[in-house]
Amino acid sequence: MAFVTSGAPLLVSRRASASSSLLGRPVSVPAAVAPLRRAARQHGAAAVHSRAAGPSMSAATEPARKGRGLIQHKREAFWFYRFLSIVYDTIVNPFHWTVGMRDKSLAQAGLESPGRNLVTVDVGGGTGFNTEGVLKYVDPQYVTLLDQSPHQMAKAKAKPSLTGVTFVEGDAENLPFPTGYADRYTSAGSIEYWPEPQRGIAEAYRVLKPGGKATIIGPVRATNWFSRFWCDLWMLFPMESEYRKWYEAAGFYDVQVGYIGPEAYKGVRSHGLIMGLTITGTKPLNGSLEPLCQLGPMEEDREREMTLLDRVLFLPKWIVGLIAGGYYFVLPFCIMLYAALFIRQPREA
């Protein structure tokens, strides 16, 4: 059921500190090409072409993740985007998050309404690429783009296509909106930087009206051992089972999952995808207004003063995190080259 509201949305002064935004990758690193041929043989031409194919490894057989990625922290992500924002729209979207992928994902978000007036928050909206997709369904005065990076948002604010959208600097794990505020929640390429993804999804549940829908678009973990090392070192690449677990723990029902990937990859998914999965859940009409999961104090706050040890470790960890991200800058070129040379598209009937 869609909840249609009239009038521009009003924000409340709930404390906002730091959220993250979309995907990313910088420096260059050695590329992993070898296992791609194996991936193609595994799927077969027709199956590889289908982006609806699920993960090839179950949660039971997937090796456990050891701790958080080096850039899966609010302060580290903030500085990561301080530099990536300069070239984000030119080096990220073309290889990892295309218009076709965005439109397919948002078709699942339930954004359509006769009055184009579903109050929508786009969390971790960054330079506004996902928000532009939201505006195909919702008029700008009902849309709020939230991000922890002023540098990313500066790029978004400069786009004529986002005129009329409200911009808020804030934290995905501590949203500055009242309970039951929005009809729709969207977030693309942000969850990978959340130190506590369960908390971020619980906040999505809290800010929605009963019957509202939350759609998150994010990475999927690599099943290839070499790529899995780099994605785990860099940031959070969840498994589908983890997305589902977080949604259900928050209180969402009717959870739906869709699979996306760059068309040029021709279905290769074993190396992980920075944008590979879309998940949507609905807040019950007669359920709790607050999330079901009970969480303690927020673990990270970018404004909290750093200890001496934090200061000593910050730069080395950040640089190694950039190198890990660099792997995913090189990898798309290897996958696309391999797919072009060795994977044949099935002929359409």
Side-chain angles (χ1 to χ4, degrees), residues 73-153:
H73 300 277
K74 295 176 182 178
R75 190 174 277 110
E76 285 81 347
F78 175 88
W79 284 104
F80 181 76
Y81 277 103
R82 171 66 183 86
F83 300 101
L84 185 63
S85 61
I86 299 168
V87 293
Y88 185 88
D89 285 331
T90 54
I91 70 169
V92 175
N93 294 337
F95 303 110
H96 295 286
W97 180 220
T98 65
V99 171
M101 292 166 65
R102 180 193 67 190
D103 293 347
K104 179 179 178 180
S105 295
L106 292 179
Q108 181 179 311
L111 293 165
E112 291 183 358
S113 71
R116 293 177 53 88
N117 58 355
L118 293 177
V119 175
T120 303
V121 292
D122 189 29
V123 173
T127 62
F129 180 73
N130 192 66
T131 314
E132 288 174 317
V134 171
L135 293 179
K136 292 183 178 183
Y137 300 93
V138 184
D139 288 339
Q141 64 267 35
Y142 301 103
V143 177
T144 299
L145 185 160
L146 177 141
D147 201 277
Q148 80 147 349
S149 169
H151 312 101
Q152 288 278 84
M153 284 202 298

Side-chain angles (χ1 to χ4, degrees), residues 4 127 131-132 135 157 168 194 216 294 296 331:
V4 179
T127 62
T131 314
E132 288 174 317
L135 293 179
K157 289 176 181 178
V168 176
W194 300 352
I216 290 178
Q294 300 297 312
L331 185 64

Side-chain angles (χ1 to χ4, degrees), residues 65-70 72-73 194-196 232-235 299-300:
R65 189 183 293 105
K66 297 177 182 177
R68 291 175 183 153
L70 293 175
Q72 192 193 342
H73 300 277
W194 300 352
E196 300 177 83
D232 286 353
L233 184 64
W234 184 22
M235 59 184 184
E299 291 182 16
E300 286 196 19

Side-chain angles (χ1 to χ4, degrees), residues 9-22:
L10 296 175
L11 303 180
V12 296
S13 58
R14 182 178 159 90
R15 191 173 171 282
S17 48
S19 128
S20 183
S21 78
L22 280 68

